[in-house]
Amino acid sequence: MVTTGAPRMKITYATLSAENEELQAAFDRAVASVREHLGQRYPMLIGDERRFADEEFEDRSPIDTSLVVSRFPMGTRTDVQDAVAAARAAFPAWRDLGWRRRIGLLRQAADLISERQFEYAALMAFEVGKNRLEALGDVEETADLLRYYSDVMERHEGFVEPMGSLSPAEHTRSVLKPHGVWAVISPFNFPMALSGGPAGGALIAGNTVVMKPSSDAPLMGYKFAEVLREVGVPPGVVNLVTGPGETVGVELEQNPGIDGLVFTGSYEVGMRLYSSFTRDYPRPIITEMGGKNPAIVTRSADLDEAAEGVMRSAFGFDGQKCSANSRVYVERPAAEEFLAKLVEKTEKLAVGDPTRRENWMGPVINERALRKFTDAVEEVQRDGGTIEVGGAVLSGDGTERGFFPTPTVVSGLPLSHRLFREELFVPLVVVGEVDSLDEALEQANATPYGLTAGIFTRDDAEIRHFLDGIQAGVVYVNRRAGATTGAWPGIQSFGGWKGSGSSGKNGLGPYYVQQFMREQSQTVMGEEPPPA
Ligand code: NAD
C-alpha cells in the first residue's frame, strides 16, 4: 500500500478546482509511488482461490500505451462457472449474517477506500486517463455509495414492514429478501464506482456477487473486491472474473446459477442482455445504458454560466461520462454570444497527461474511441458543419503514444443530423439553434435515450415547463458546475429513462437497494406477532 500522508478533503464531481497545495502534493506522491508498481500480475478471485491463468491480457494506459498498468488472466467460461458455484455456496451464510452485520462490514470497506483515496485515484489516472479531481471523485463516490446504501438499509430496518390485519389472530408483514447470486458487469468509465456501487447494493441486500470489470479497467474492480476481503467479507461472497464480454460476459448471461444481473455500459450490449437474460426463466435484470444528453440555453439565460456548465459537462473526462453533455439547443437570439463564450472557455482547456496537475483533459480510452472522434470530425466537414474549436488529435511530447483528441465544438449541422442523435462518447459537442423552448424540448426528447438533461434560463415559467416536459432520469437547472453531469450518492440519484435504463429506479438514490431483493408477504396466525 502507498502512504501519501494525504489530507482529508472531500472531493466530489462538483469540486471546481483544488488549489489546496497539500492535496496536490499528496496526489503527486501517489502518482510517483504507484508508477513504480505498474505492470503487476493480478489474479481472479474465485471462492477462496486467487486464480492465475496461462493466458493473460495487458491493461495498457491510454496516456501512453507503452505503459502496462496491470496484467490479468483471460478468464474462461469454466472460471465463471466456478465463481458462480462459489457464490451459491456462500449465499446462505451471507444472507443469514443479517443486514446489521453486513452493513457493518461495508461501512468498514468504505472507510478503507476513503483512506486509500489517493493511491487508488493515481492508479485510476493511469488506467483510464482521468484527471486528478475526477479520479479522486470516483474513488470517494465508491465509498459514499457503500455508506449511502447502508444508510438506506438501516433507515428501513432491513425492509421488514408490518402490514394491516383483518383479525386479531392474524399478523402480516412484508419482507424483502435477497435473490441469491448477482452478476455485476461494469464499464470502463467509472471503473471503481460502477463496480463498487452495483456490487455494494447487491451485497448489502444479502446477495453474493460475481463481478466482471471492463477489460479496459480491470484493476479498479479488483481493488474494490480486494478491500471487501480485507475487511472480512467471507470468500465466495465476492468473486471477480476478468476477460472478454464475448466469453466471460456471455457465460454470466447464460449461466442458470445467476439469479439477477446488473449491467452498466452501452445500449448495444445492455439491450442484448436485457432481451436474452430472461429468455428461459424470469430473472431480474437492471441495465444502465448510454445517453445523448442535451442542454437547453434560452434567451433569458446567464450565458457565462451556461457556457461554463456546458464546457464542464461536454469535456469532463473527455466526454466519456454517460451523463456527458453532447448536444446543445440554444435559442437563436442568444446563439452567437453563447457560442463565443463556449469557444473561449474551450480554448483555455489544457489537454495532456492527466496525472500532471496542469492538464484538465487527458486521453480517450482506446484507439477505437479515437477513431470515433476523427470519423465524426470528418463527417462534420463533409456535411457542411463548422468546427468552431478543436477537431484535432495531439501529437508530439509523447502524446502520440496515447489517444488525445482536443475538445471540439461543432455548429451549423441540421438538427436531424446523426451527431445530434447517436452517443459518441468522445469530447465533441454539437450546438444547434432553435426558435423556442418548445422546439428545444421537442428536439431534446427526440432520441431513444433519456439519461440526463440540463437547462439554463432565468425564467421560472421556463424552468417549470422544462421540468414537466423533459424525458430524462436526472435533470439540472442552471448548474455552472456541470450542465448535465456530476451526480453524487444521496444527493442526485442517477439512472436513465427510455433507452438509457430499464428499471425506472435510479442508482445513488433511495430505491436502489430494494431492486436486489424480492418481496414475501408473511401471514402468521396466532395471538402474538411472529418473532423478528
Ligand atoms: P460496453 O457496453 O462496451 O461494456 C460494458 C461491459 O460489458 C464491459 O465489462 C464489457 O466487457 C461487457 N460486455 C461486452 N460485451 C458483452 C457481452 N456480449 N455480454 C456480456 N457483457 C459484455 O461499455 P463501455 O465502453 O465499457 O462503457 C461506456 C458505455 O457505458 C457508454 O455507452 C456509457 O454511456 C455507458 N454508461 C452508462 C452509465 C449509466 O449509469 N447509465 C454509466 C456509465 C457508463
Side-chain angles (χ1 to χ4, degrees), residues 30-105:
V31 166
S33 175
V34 305
R35 192 189 285 275
E36 283 173 24
H37 301 102
L38 294 182
Q40 283 179 30
R41 295 176 71 222
Y42 293 87
M44 296 183 285
L45 302 171
I46 298 175
D48 56 8
E49 196 188 335
R50 293 165 60 81
R51 186 178 293 183
F52 291 90
D54 291 338
E55 206 186 339
E56 291 183 334
F57 64 96
E58 289 175 339
D59 169 24
R60 287 177 178 264
S61 176
I63 302 171
D64 176 346
T65 50
S66 68
L67 273 182
V68 177
V69 177
S70 60
R71 293 180 165 81
F72 273 91
M74 192 72 92
T76 62
R77 294 184 77 141
T78 308
D79 295 319
V80 177
Q81 288 154 11
D82 293 347
V84 173
R88 294 208 79 74
F91 171 61
W94 180 245
R95 174 195 60 201
D96 295 344
L97 192 66
W99 63 268
R100 286 185 184 79
R101 291 176 62 190
R102 289 198 300 270
I103 68 175
L105 288 168

Side-chain angles (χ1 to χ4, degrees), residues 271-449:
M271 278 311 292
R272 224 204 83 178
L273 288 171
Y274 189 71
S275 53
S276 59
F277 186 64
T278 54
R279 197 159 33 216
D280 299 329
Y281 197 69
R283 300 187 282 182
I285 172 164
I286 304 168
T287 54
E288 302 290 353
M289 299 175 284
K292 186 71 187 175
N293 309 298
I296 295 173
V297 181
T298 74
R299 66 193 80 194
S300 76
D302 173 336
L303 295 182
D304 190 71
E305 185 176 74
E308 179 84 14
V310 167
M311 181 276 284
R312 292 184 64 88
S313 284
F315 304 129
F317 189 34
D318 279 52
Q320 299 176 111
K321 297 183 183 189
C322 40
S323 54
N325 177 204
S326 50
R327 54 194 175 121
V328 180
Y329 301 104
V330 54
E331 274 195 291
R332 239 173 269 286
E336 196 179 326
E337 190 183 340
F338 167 75
L339 206 50
K341 284 180 184 292
L342 179 59
V343 167
E344 188 191 328
K345 288 176 192 291
T346 304
E347 277 167 345
K348 289 188 188 139
L349 294 177
V351 187
D353 178 348
T355 64
R356 299 177 65 86
R357 178 179 182 171
E358 64 271 21
N359 290 326
W360 192 75
M361 279 178 61
V364 291
I365 190 68
N366 53 31
E367 204 167 348
R368 194 156 37 97
L370 191 64
R371 206 169 330 113
K372 269 196 179 178
F373 173 81
T374 50
D375 286 352
V377 168
E378 271 179 37
E379 199 176 332
V380 171
Q381 285 155 343
R382 194 186 59 220
D383 295 348
T386 305
I387 307 276
E388 298 280 348
V389 57
V393 175
L394 293 191
S395 65
D397 280 346
T399 51
E400 63 283 356
R401 291 197 298 274
F403 312 110
F404 290 91
T406 57
T408 301
V409 176
V410 170
S411 68
L413 288 175
L415 302 185
S416 57
H417 195 274
R418 179 185 88 90
L419 296 182
F420 277 101
R421 298 277 182 272
E422 289 178 22
E423 183 185 52
L424 296 181
F425 231 52
V426 297
L428 183 145
V429 62
V430 285
V431 179
E433 296 183 23
V434 290
D435 288 316
S436 65
L437 173 57
D438 277 334
E439 188 189 356
L441 268 172
E442 195 185 312
Q443 290 295 332
N445 289 336
T447 65
Y449 292 116

Side-chain angles (χ1 to χ4, degrees), residues 13 113 124 130 134-135 137-146 149 184 186-200 220-221 224 264 488-489 508 512:
Y13 303 122
I113 290 169
M124 192 188 297
K130 284 199 180 195
E134 295 284 357
D138 192 324
V139 177
E140 189 60 13
E141 183 189 1
T142 312
D144 268 9
L145 282 165
L146 301 183
Y149 295 151
V184 180
S186 306
F188 78 85
N189 67 333
F190 285 84
M192 197 169 222
L194 289 177
S195 299
M220 298 321 299
F224 173 79
T264 318
W488 197 258
L508 292 62
Y512 187 68

